[in-house]
Structure formats: C-alpha cells, structure tokens
Amino acid sequence: MTSSTTAPVLRTDYQKAVAEYWDYERDPVNLRLGEIDGLYHHHYGIGDYDPRVLDAPAPARDDTIIEEMHRLETAQADFLLDHVGDIGPSARLLDAGSGRGGTSVIAHSRFGCQVDGVTISEAQVAFANDQAERRGIDDAVRFHYRNMLDSGFEAGSMRGLWTNESTMYVDLFELFAEFARLLAHGGRYVCITGCSHDVTGGRTKAVSRIDEHYTCNIHPRSHYFKALAANNLVPINVIDLTTATIPYWELRAQSPVATGIEEAFLTAYREGSFHYLLIAADRV
Amino acid sequence: MTSSTTAPVLRTDYQKAVAEYWDYERDPVNLRLGEIDGLYHHHYGIGDYDPRVLDAPAPARDDTIIEEMHRLETAQADFLLDHVGDIGPSARLLDAGSGRGGTSVIAHSRFGCQVDGVTISEAQVAFANDQAERRGIDDAVRFHYRNMLDSGFEAGSMRGLWTNESTMYVDLFELFAEFARLLAHGGRYVCITGCSHDVTGGRTKAVSRIDEHYTCNIHPRSHYFKALAANNLVPINVIDLTTATIPYWELRAQSPVATGIEEAFLTAYREGSFHYLLIAADRV
Amino acid sequence: MTSSTTAPVLRTDYQKAVAEYWDYERDPVNLRLGEIDGLYHHHYGIGDYDPRVLDAPAPARDDTIIEEMHRLETAQADFLLDHVGDIGPSARLLDAGSGRGGTSVIAHSRFGCQVDGVTISEAQVAFANDQAERRGIDDAVRFHYRNMLDSGFEAGSMRGLWTNESTMYVDLFELFAEFARLLAHGGRYVCITGCSHDVTGGRTKAVSRIDEHYTCNIHPRSHYFKALAANNLVPINVIDLTTATIPYWELRAQSPVATGIEEAFLTAYREGSFHYLLIAADRV
Amino acid sequence: MTSSTTAPVLRTDYQKAVAEYWDYERDPVNLRLGEIDGLYHHHYGIGDYDPRVLDAPAPARDDTIIEEMHRLETAQADFLLDHVGDIGPSARLLDAGSGRGGTSVIAHSRFGCQVDGVTISEAQVAFANDQAERRGIDDAVRFHYRNMLDSGFEAGSMRGLWTNESTMYVDLFELFAEFARLLAHGGRYVCITGCSHDVTGGRTKAVSRIDEHYTCNIHPRSHYFKALAANNLVPINVIDLTTATIPYWELRAQSPVATGIEEAFLTAYREGSFHYLLIAADRV
Amino acid sequence: MTSSTTAPVLRTDYQKAVAEYWDYERDPVNLRLGEIDGLYHHHYGIGDYDPRVLDAPAPARDDTIIEEMHRLETAQADFLLDHVGDIGPSARLLDAGSGRGGTSVIAHSRFGCQVDGVTISEAQVAFANDQAERRGIDDAVRFHYRNMLDSGFEAGSMRGLWTNESTMYVDLFELFAEFARLLAHGGRYVCITGCSHDVTGGRTKAVSRIDEHYTCNIHPRSHYFKALAANNLVPINVIDLTTATIPYWELRAQSPVATGIEEAFLTAYREGSFHYLLIAADRV
Amino acid sequence: MTSSTTAPVLRTDYQKAVAEYWDYERDPVNLRLGEIDGLYHHHYGIGDYDPRVLDAPAPARDDTIIEEMHRLETAQADFLLDHVGDIGPSARLLDAGSGRGGTSVIAHSRFGCQVDGVTISEAQVAFANDQAERRGIDDAVRFHYRNMLDSGFEAGSMRGLWTNESTMYVDLFELFAEFARLLAHGGRYVCITGCSHDVTGGRTKAVSRIDEHYTCNIHPRSHYFKALAANNLVPINVIDLTTATIPYWELRAQSPVATGIEEAFLTAYREGSFHYLLIAADRV
C-alpha cells in the first residue's frame, strides 16, 4: 500500500454531499439488520422470502421480518463472492465502497485473506474498523477513508475487487480505469448494481426518484459494458438478478424498516426500466 | 420534405411516457401565459422582472405577474433567434421539439421563411397547427408528429434549427447526428438548455427532482460539447444564462401558476450544480 | 425482405475456402447424428453424458454413443434458444451461419414463427431447405445463400438472431454492425462460441490447431465485448459453458465419429486458454 | 513547482525557429507600445478606436496613434482576464506563451496572486523578468524558459491559465492535455486566438500569408473544440471577437508601426475565413 | 456510373477559390511542357536530369530544358502507375484531381481500360476531354466536373485510383472515406504528394509559402497514415521520393518557366521539413 | 537504463510457453548457420540464392547450402539495418526480441554504438551475452532478460529500435506504445515481419499452421498500420519483401536443416495470404 495520496478524498460538491449523507445516515434498515449478527450491509437482498414471516405474531413479527431481510442481504453478498474466483489466503481483495463493512467481513471469513475497504464516509470507516476490531480481524480487514476513484493502492496489488451497489455514485470510465490499475493481470472484478434499461429508453420517473432519494446517478446498463470494454475488463459472467431481488423489496415494503423508496424500486423493476445485475469480469 | 418515414415515431417506453405527459399536459403556466398573445411557450424566461408586478392590486395581480412572466419567456425566444444567423425568406428552419409552437411563430414573423416544427406529442402538433391556421400562416409554419431523432426531412435541407429546452429528453449523440444530417453546410444550430455542471460533480437531489418532475434526463454540460465535436457542429457562441434566468424563477415561485418545481430550479441554480446555457454552432 | 443484394456473397479467398470446405464436408460427426431425428447440427454439446453408453454392447455401442452425443448437441441448441427472449408467432428470427439447419428447425417448432437461415455454403442451403420441405415447414423456415456480413434483410426486421458457433469465421465488428442493423429496437442476439482467453494470453498451439482444422479464426473473448459495445448490443446474460462442454468432448473422443480434433479442444479447455461461452445481448 | 524537467525545452526544428524568431524580434509594434506604460503585449486589440487620433497634428500623431493601439491591446488583455473567474490572492495562475509579460503583470495587479509565465524565447524570459523586477513584483510574477507543452509544473497546481495568441504554434491536443494536467478540478482556461473558419473551408491565401509571416500554424475553429472535448475542458463562454478586432487592424494599417501583415489580417477577417475568438472553459 | 449527384460540386468558398485558380491558370510550366507530346501534367518530376541541357545553345536551350523537365514529369506519372497493380482492360480506374488529364491518358495507353478523371475546374474538364477526343480515346477516357470528395460513382466500382498531387486541397479523412467507398475489395489506391515532416514539427515559412502560392493546405505525413488506417486502406508500399525530386526543382529553377515558387520547394526539401512521398495502399 | 522493473518478465501462460519454446530450442536451422561466422540469426533470408549450391558434391553439399542460407539471412539483417537511419557512435539502439543476438552484433559493427537486446528466453540472453563476450564487445552490446512490452529502459533513450520477426508474439498496440515511449523524438523504428493479407481475408490453414508451429499469433497487415498510427509512429518506407524471400524458402525446403514448416510458408506466400514486409517509421 502506498502511504499517501496527495489529492483530497472529496473532489466535488457532489462527493461531499454523498459523504455527508452517509456520515449522518442512521437508517434502521441498515442498522437493525446489522445488529442481528454484526454483518452490516448497505445493499439489497436476493432470493425468495419465507412468507410465514409476515404472519408471525405481533411482538416478534418485526424482528422476524428483519431477520428474513437480513438473510436475503447476506445471501446477496455470498452470491457476489461466489464470483470472485479462487482466492487463496495470501491474496488481497478490495471492497470499493465498503459501507459499514459487511461484505468485507464475509470475504475474509471465506477466503482467509487480507481485505481492504474504502469509502468516502469517515463515519463508515470508523464504524467498520470498530467492527473488525471487535471480531479480532483488524490485522487483516481494514477500512480506509479514500475515494475509490483514486484509491492510492499499488498498481496490480489486488487479486479481486468488487462494488456492491456503489457504482451509481461515480463515473464508470474513471472507476474502471482505476480498477484496471489496481487489479493484477487475471484478477477478477465483481459488480452488483441496479442499472436502467437502455431498451425502455431514458430514466423514468421511478428511476429519477431513486436517484433523488440516495443522491445517486443510476447508469444505463450499456455504460457498464462500454466502460469495461474501454478498460481491459472482460466479462465472464453476467446474471440478471431482477427477478431474484423483487421478493426482497416486496418484503421490505411490508417491513417496519421501510423507508418509502420501496415503491419506486418495485415500480422500476416491474415496468422493466431497471435491472439488478451481477457482472464478473477478468482483468486482461 | 420526404413523404414518409417508416420507423414509428415513438421507439421506446420512455418516449411513449414523455409523449403521453405532453399530450395530457394542461398546465396553466403554459396555457394562461400563451393566451395573452397567442404565443404558447414551453420554456423559461430570461431578464429581470419588474418588481412592481408583485405589488399590483388584488384583482389584476395574477394577470400582471403572468404577463410579466410571458414577457420574459418571449425575451428568451427572441434571444435564441438572435443567434440563428442571417436568415432570408427563402431559407428553411426547424424547431426541434416545438411544443405548442411559440418559437416557430416568432421565427416566421421575424425571418419570413418556412418553419417546420416537430414534436412527439400529437396533441401539441394539433394545437400548434391550429394556432398557425388562426394566424393565417399555416402555409409557412407547419408542425409534424415526428421524432426529432429521425425527422424524415431531407439531408441538408435546413439553414438553421434550434432546440428550445428539448434536448433533455434524448441522447445528444443521436440528436446531433440527425441535426448534422439536416443542416446545410454552414447552417446554424442554436440550443438553449438547462444542464448539470460537471465541476460540482454528479446530479444533485435538486437536479434529480427536476428529472422526475418532467420525466426528463438532464445532461452534464460536457456532453453537449462532446456530442457537438463528434458531429461536425462547431460552437461560435456560448453564453451562460444562469444569472439571467434566476429572476424568472423567483417571480414564478410567487406567481399563481407556480407548479412546485420552482424551488428545485432555484436550489440547483444557486448551489451551482445547474446552468442555463445558450450554444450556437455552425455545421461544418 | 429486400429482393436483391448486388454484392457477391463471397468477397474474399478466405470466404471461398470456407464455403468450399462446408460444401464438400460429409463428416459423419455431423451426418450420422443428424440422421437420428433429422436435426442436423453443426455445433457441439453441453451437459454430462450417461457413462453407461460407453459400456453398451458391441453392435449397438456406436449408435448409442452417437445418440448420446446428439442429445447433448440438441441440449445446446435448446439452451441457446432459452435466451432468445419472448418470441411470438408473428416475430421473425435469423439463424446466422445456419449450417444444415438444425437450430432453425428447433426454433420454429418452439416459437411457431418465421425463421430465416443464411450460410455461404450452397450445399448447406440446399440440404437445409430440403429438410424443411420434408417437414412441411418450408413456408416458415427458409435457408438462403447469403453472407451474414451483408445479409440483405431489411433494417429492424428481426426480433431475434443467433450465431451458433459461426462467429469464428468473420470479423466481429463487421458482423455486429450488420446484426445491429437487422435487429429491431429491443431485439435479442444470442451467441454461443468458443473463444480464446485473454488472461492466458495469445493463441496457444492447441487453439491454432483448431483454427487450422476448420480454417477458422478464433477470437479472444475481449473482442466479443468490444464489438458488442461498439454496436449498441448490450449483454444481459453471459454464461461460461466450458465445464458443461468438456464431457461432450470426452465422449466424442471415444466415439466412432471422432475426427482427430478432439484432443486439441480438450487440451485448450483444460489448459484454460479456451472458453465455451454464451452471450445474450439486447439491441438498444 | 517541480525543480527539473529533463526533456529539452525545444524539441523540434520548428520550435527552434519560433524561439529564434522571438529571441531576435525587436518589432516597434511591440516595443514602442510597451514603452508607454511598461506593459509589453504580444497580441492584438479589441474595441473601437477614437478616429480623432488619425487627425492628430504631425509631431504627436505617431505617438497618439500608438497610444490608442496600446489602449486597445490592454483592453483585450483585460477582457481575457474578465473570464478567468474568481481568483483570490492565494491562487496560482499560468500565462502560457507569455511573451514580454504584459498580461501576467495585469493579472497580478488585478488578483494579487502568483503568476507564472512560460515562453520558449530566452530573450523574452529575460526581458519579462527584468520588467517584473523593476515593478518590484518578481517575488510573485516569474517567467520561465519552458515549453508550454511540457511545463514541469505540478499536476493540479493552477487555478487558472490562459493563452493569449500563442496556441497557433502548437498541436492543440498535446497542449490541452498538458493544461488538463496543470489545472485543478474546476480550474479555468481562457484562450484568445485567431482561427480559420471551417465553413469557408481550407486555409486561404491570406491565412497562409499570416502563417508564413509569424512561422505559425493557424488552426481551424473546430480543432479547438475537439481538443477541449478530448481533454476534460468544457466551454462556459465562447465569444466571437472578429468584429471587435477589425478596428484595431484598420488603425494599425495606418499607424507608423505597421508591419505589412495588416492587409492579410483585414482580408482574412473580411472574407470570413478567419475569426478572432475567446473561449473560456472549465477543467472537469 | 450514377447519373446524378444533387450536392453542388463546390461546397465552400475555399473550393471556389481553388476552382477559380485552376480555371484561369495558364502557367507556361504546365502548358509549354504539355505541348511537347500532348501529355499535360500538373505535377512535378523525379529522377536526375541530364546536366548538358543547361549548356544547350541559346535558341534551343529553353526548349531543351523544357523537354527534359517534361521527361521527368512523365517519369513520375509512370512511376505512380507502376504501383496501381495488375490492371486488365475490363478494369476501371479513377484519376482523382485529374488536372489537364496527362496521367489518365498514360494509364489508358498502358492498361487499355476505362479511366475517369474528376476535377473541380470546369476549364480543366473541357481541356482534358478535348485532348481525349483528339486522341480518339474519348470513349474510354472521360473527365468530369465533380468533387472528388463526393464523386457520385458507384460504390465498389473502381479497381484502382490515384491522386497525383491533389490531396493537399482536401481533408484526408473525408477523401479516404470516399475512396474506400469507391474501391472494390482489394482495389489499390496510389498517392503521390508533398507532405510536411512531423519530426521537424509545424509548418515552416517555406511550407506556408507553398500553401499560399497554390491556395493549398499541405498535410503532415502522419495525417496520411491516420486517415488511411481509419478507412480500411492498408499500405503495401511507401517510398520517400524527396531525393529523387530535388533535381527536377533545381532544373526548373534555372528554366525559362520558373514561377518563383522553386526556392520555397528547394528550401523545404533541403531543410527536411517537407517530403515527396508515394504511398500505395490496398482496400481491405 | 532504469535499474529495476518490478513487474515479472513473463505475464501470461502464453508468454511462458513462448519463453520455454525458445529456452529449449536447439534447431539446426538456427545453430548450424550461426556457427559459420558466429552470427546467430532467428529470422529468414532475402535475395536469390545461387542455384549451383544445390549441385554441390555430396560431402560439402550440406554445408554449401547452409552457408548460402546464412548469406541470405545476413542480407536480410543488413537490409533491415539500412533503414535505421543515420546512427552515430553515441546513439543507442534496441533489438526487441533479440534471439541469439545476430542482428545486434551486426548493428554494433556497423554503427559503433551501444546496442541492447531484450528477449524473454533466458537461454537466449545467456547465449547472446556469451557471444558478445567472445567478440570483446560486451561493453557495448548487452542482452537482457526482459519483456519488450515493458522493457524498463528510460523514456526517449533510444535513437533506433527494431523487431526482426518478433512482433507475432505480442499485441501490436501494447508493443508500439512501449516503442513510442522508448524512442527519442525523431527516432526510427524498423520492423521486418510476416503478416497475413487482409485482402485475401482471414487466416488460412497455411497461416494457422505457422502459428501452431511457432506458438505465434500472426497479425494482419492492417493491424500494423493501425497500431503505428495510434502510437505516433509514422511510416517513411514500406517494402513488400514477399518475392525476395521466396527463394530462401525454396532453398531451405531442399536443405538438410528443413524443419517441415517450409511448405506452409511457401503455400502461404504463393496463395497470396501472407506477406513478408519491412516497415520503417519515425517517432513523432
């Protein structure tokens, strides 16, 4: 790891606004689920939920639903990591846009290797490092206050890296140029993201509402493949997870931690203007 | 003019949604202002307003404010047309995204030449042609139910063309390719548009709110210049109208025809994340 | 369909050599398998074979193995067609590089729609049309002596199209430009192909041996995604079928219709220099 | 500032010829005007001249005309600096192709900040540094013998930079790549230049005569916008100064310091083959 | 040949100026040499001249020198045609920028095939057609008043084409796009041209003087290869003729038909800023 | 020379396979010819052979033929070096893919300057350095175990460099980017290579057989010119050596050191699908 990057972590007003949002975010949909087992996710879930959780008796119902949502989110992180490839304990991985660190912790427990996470929220860095310390894995799992567009790690140092719903905050060409720099030859990049669907055309009202809610900038699917092609990242697996993620949103809409954005996601997925996608690509 | 284009006017669900929005739109901010003198605009205004209109006595106050807003909108259309170049009566002009036709009518009265307008809203086409008929200029000013991305006019047939706040509904590279096809060598393109500011970074909440409100897709300023450069359209004038348009929005926020989106515009302009821009470019 | 294309079907000596190869090809691995049920494939298979076929008693053993190989090849065609999307009976499909026509026949029986196949081998065209006639589907399934790089069909006329192991004979940028022209907005392209692996580097001896055997020009995987990105074709599914196709080759190597190229395929797949890939992409 | 650049300042015979031209240039049109107030310009003027200067009585007439020309040149430099943006005293500015230093001196007196000038003429560097010393501003205004294509300053170190008629000596893509490197995010580049007009077509005799006179290589206007677009420099103002500069040339043609090139400029401007243009662009 | 092209032959003021120049040109260096044997060239020569011509006695000396110059010019045309490839009598050739037609006539007498010449000078068209008629080859050799950027001939109709010192009047990317359209697959393009040398840098005074003299726009050598690469034209021979053409200019400078531009050419060639180049390229 | 490059010399399995091939290669066609005069070539020859060598009496016939082949190979190296330009004793040259070092030794004896060779075969490095030591020129001629794609030499340090039949092992865009980095402004690159012919189309069986034999990846001729154009390398000479190299192969086919690949070369050259080409280009 290079010891210093002279450029400021936050380059634009937009990045400052995003950082501030996450520094002050205390959304129960993220915190209460994380409290279950200490895996704090900032992403959505996949797979069918058990419909019986909706009929759980009143005192436990909320917790039961939340546990089920957490199970689906963890399943998503596991699914993402299924595509990182063969990773030995001496490899090194990067979690780009690491949030409160959940995926990094799972990756370490699975592969036994060093994992670095970067995020532009200092609060998330502190939270995630604290979690790593509690688990006694802070020698191997470290979170950094850095911009994933300019992460400061050495060229070719990473065997794998992923973005778990963090690409909608940045320009993909800039991002994938940095990823191409970071990955060793033959290294693997895995992306899970929501993206708009070029076939239906421009961003619909539902998609713009999601953009507004998270101060994010959802990209069309085509941009991902153009930016990969321009940066020596070659897909080996592409999976449409849209059908797999809808149940999560249906459950979340009925949960005690619904934030109000659920309807926009469900509308966007159902009208076909929005996809939930996994891309795994090799650095060549 | 070629007599037929076989492709459907509406190619995507997004275009259908935009067309439907404008087919059913009866917003007083567009209709009541147009009723003043029969110039129906679908764009914003520039220049300072007369502050006395806010103090007009109650019965006439609303109309006074509306007249002042209309004056600023007409000033904007006039300013746009100031940049179309020397246009003689035998020239031909295109109003791309012509709405209810106001700018086309002004252009005809100013240059005396044929003006064609295209829009994907059939209701707007009918409305605007009806206006032209009432004015007795329907032999020279005609509106067509066509997609400006694929307008069906002959290559090189237009001496000038403009988009008055209609570029945020389409891909700029596709659009300017069509414009480069339509314009004669040396022809002029004039664009007035709101655009996000690359320096502040991604789309802010205020910008996404505007996108959602109009089902539009605001582009960053950089995209305009990349798409022009890629399509043999060379700027000769670029004017930042942001300061000139803020008074219009301040007046509109206090007007009886405010739609609720005013605050998003004022926030976006003031935070610096959004520009109101005129670009005049030559077809080379 | 446009009635004439003035350019010759065969533009280069290379294309003439390829056409001649297929005009005179009478390889049992293609003919004897096709005779089973009249589905003549020119592609490989996927899925595990039943190991008991190798132990079948002598008189029937050959036929048993051949039937099993045919089952795997048909499974491959079915798998390809699973990714063409929702196709109604009024849609139109193109089989680009249609060989003796097997995949086209399956597609018609599955979707009930018109299917056109093109190949530069006149012998294959005659053979496949004869098969369609025997099945009484020659009103709906037609094969044409045309070059898929310049197929002469109308722009936007196809709802779906595929290449089942035919892309290694052409330049991908030229090919996908033609496919982008042929597909309607939102149409689907499905490709199954062998491709070399950019991570292992240049073409190995095993890959060059395959090239020599079939007079083909295997592309690296990266070329597919660059050519798609350059031609408005956006992946929605990418599946690595390498593991799924190895059993087919292991069986074929032990079959009576082995051609001698089996070892090159098995070496290439096992050394990791070669992939068997499905790509499904939308025309946007 | 980085302390050393290993590449030679002059890379080509062409650059050597340009440097030699300016090392030995002692043109009264530059020197006599500069002597008026110590602001030595190497650029042209804008604005109307006072026609009475032509009627000034004989002994003073020459000086009166020269003073008027100098006023117009200073007005041009002021106009350029009007577009550099909000510059505080701690900012840093670059004058790329700084000549005898006039614009740098004005910039410092206006913004109070550090200004560096670079030129490939050692004589100009010495002259300009001597001027800065005489004014007692040599701690803030420094001139360097460097090539603006490879200036050696730190990446992101400049808040603003300009070229005042110096772009016609270099390749614009190389130049703007270096400027994009030098400017901080959000920094401003201002260019005033003569450029040929793509609409009239190739370089005319008048334009080639100017090229020959100054050993320069005038670019078409389109090249500026292509090179900006390729280098993350986004226009915010483009102003056609052609009409504003013609009076300067008319006056100069009648002045005692006319060099003989005046007719070529007037012809080129009047035939429409040549523009005098200001471009202000943001580094994004 | 397509019967009509609707675009005007002359699109820009620059093209009009060039056409006018050649319409009125009666330069003895072109006319007196052509009168020798009816081959009217508009290009320079290659090869050593016989030094004895300079010592020829007075009455005949002028004619002797002119004959020798004409011999060198014809040698150049022959050398160009050596690189057009194997051309049979049924082939078709294009002389792009055909001047008074000399090279076309030689090509016909050599290959026996149809040759079309295009030029934007109507006077040259008339002159050249008249020559063809006198020779009785006007059924096979025809000159057209057309713009070589938009020649109106059918796609793929030409087996070979050349530009003999005519590329300096046009944009090379536009030109080679048209040539790629005109040439059949495998067709040959041959170019002889003067070009500036990228290694010495920008256009020198001598080069600009040539530009001014002929109202032309000399390109750097690099532009030729970029424009070829962008248009599927692949070099097979590139020959630096600079040394071979210098004797021609030395003789011409001493000849009775010197025009005054000889010194600029000799300076440019000797200082290394200018090359005389042959490029032969295949259409692929 | 920079003292260290951290990247491994061999990046891919393909490169490892190529390195291993050459590490263990002991082909008499390379060794026996080299033993004649200590110039070990790994390339082919040009020029006509003396047909009498085929009739040499038995005991000496083999050696006579081998000497003649060696003479043609040395002629090829000499011809290559004829195009490196004016090289003084203080210049520095690079032999990229230097094999056993023959061309480097000739270059040093011709120009008297420092020559560095790089190859990914450690055995070749050792062999070539041993040869240099025996000749007492190891202070000036050095061979390095390095990858020519990432050679570690300083930017701009080389006055000339060549590849003598080594480009078919690498990606040309990567290679020429490195060469553009290494060459000083105005430096010369010379390439001799076999390349496939775009006009005949894809790689034929004969070309794929050569690829398989040498584990190489022959490029089409067009790739060379695209990669040069993309990397500021501008051709000044291109020579088709196909006719000149065929005699060498005819002789070799009859020689005692024939390897069996001769027929593939002769077929490829004669069918027109393969060219032997020299390209000389300037770094600009």
Side-chain angles (χ1 to χ4, degrees), chain A:
Chain A
M1 191 188 322
T2 59
S3 53
S4 69
T5 52
T6 58
V9 171
L10 303 176
R11 283 188 286 179
T12 64
D13 290 350
Y14 173 77
Q15 290 174 355
K16 285 172 196 156
V18 171
E20 193 180 0
Y21 176 88
W22 291 109
D23 277 350
Y24 291 95
E25 181 265 350
R26 298 286 182 277
D27 208 320
V29 82
N30 289 318
L31 290 176
R32 284 190 57 188
L33 276 71
E35 285 158 7
I36 293 168
D37 58 3
L39 291 175
Y40 288 85
H41 299 309
H42 282 85
H43 53 78
Y44 312 125
I46 56 172
D48 291 333
Y49 64 85
D50 183 340
R52 289 170 304 180
V53 301
L54 294 171
D55 303 326
R61 188 178 181 272
D62 280 11
D63 285 352
T64 307
I65 291 175
I66 284 172
E67 277 175 39
E68 183 66 358
M69 287 173 59
H70 188 60
R71 186 180 66 79
L72 301 184
E73 292 185 359
T74 299
Q76 189 261 30
D78 275 326
F79 190 74
L80 184 157
L81 294 173
D82 288 347
H83 292 83
V84 178
D86 292 329
I87 301 294
S90 65
R92 194 166 169 193
L93 298 173
L94 181 68
D95 185 348
S98 50
R100 285 191 173 93
T103 311
S104 293
V105 169
I106 297 177
H108 174 68
S109 69
R110 185 163 173 168
F111 304 117
C113 71
Q114 182 176 346
V115 183
D116 290 278
V118 298
T119 165
I120 59 172
S121 162
E122 293 190 275
Q124 288 184 335
V125 170
F127 186 99
N129 276 330
D130 180 62
Q131 289 293 318
E133 208 171 323
R134 286 172 193 230
R135 288 173 179 268
I137 56 172
D138 51 313
D139 55 333
V141 180
R142 295 189 203 97
F143 299 92
H144 311 264
Y145 174 57
R146 296 189 184 183
N147 192 322
M148 64 181 174
L149 293 174
D150 183 20
S151 68
F153 295 102
E154 260 183 39
S157 58
M158 299 294 165
R159 190 68 220 162
L161 69 79
W162 62 84
T163 50
N164 200 347
E165 298 179 14
S166 56
T167 48
M168 58 285 291
Y169 293 104
V170 295
D171 180 273
L172 296 179
F173 285 82
E174 278 187 71
L175 184 70
F176 294 169
E178 173 69 357
F179 287 177
R181 192 185 70 78
L182 291 173
L183 282 170
H185 180 81
R188 175 68 53 88
Y189 167 52
V190 186
C191 172
I192 290 187
T193 189
C195 55
S196 65
H197 187 9
D198 304 78
V199 169
T200 55
R203 290 188 299 277
T204 60
K205 282 185 190 299
V207 172
S208 286
R209 180 178 292 276
I210 300 170
D211 269 356
E212 188 196 355
H213 185 83
Y214 291 105
T215 325
C216 70
N217 284 209
I218 291 166
H219 306 290
R221 195 170 87 225
S222 60
H223 284 207
Y224 284 88
F225 291 96
K226 285 184 182 167
L228 291 169
N231 285 291
N232 292 318
L233 295 163
V234 184
I236 182 65
N237 283 109
V238 177
I239 302 167
D240 183 355
L241 296 169
T242 307
T243 305
T245 197
I246 288 179
Y248 168 84
W249 286 98
E250 289 171 337
L251 178 60
R252 180 166 155 170
Q254 303 169 72
S255 80
V257 292
T259 63
I261 197 62
E262 288 77 13
E263 209 48 44
F265 273 88
L266 285 167
T267 298
Y269 282 137
R270 288 172 181 156
E271 76 189 8
S273 66
F274 195 57
H275 281 164
Y276 196 53
L277 201 72
L278 177 143
I279 304 170
D282 290 324
R283 171 69 170 95
V284 304

Side-chain angles (χ1 to χ4, degrees), chain E residues 221, chain F residues 183 187-190 228 233-237 279-283:
Chain E
R221 195 171 88 227
Chain F
L183 283 169
R188 175 68 53 89
Y189 167 52
V190 186
L228 292 169
L233 294 164
V234 184
I236 182 67
N237 283 109
I279 304 170
D282 291 323
R283 171 69 170 93

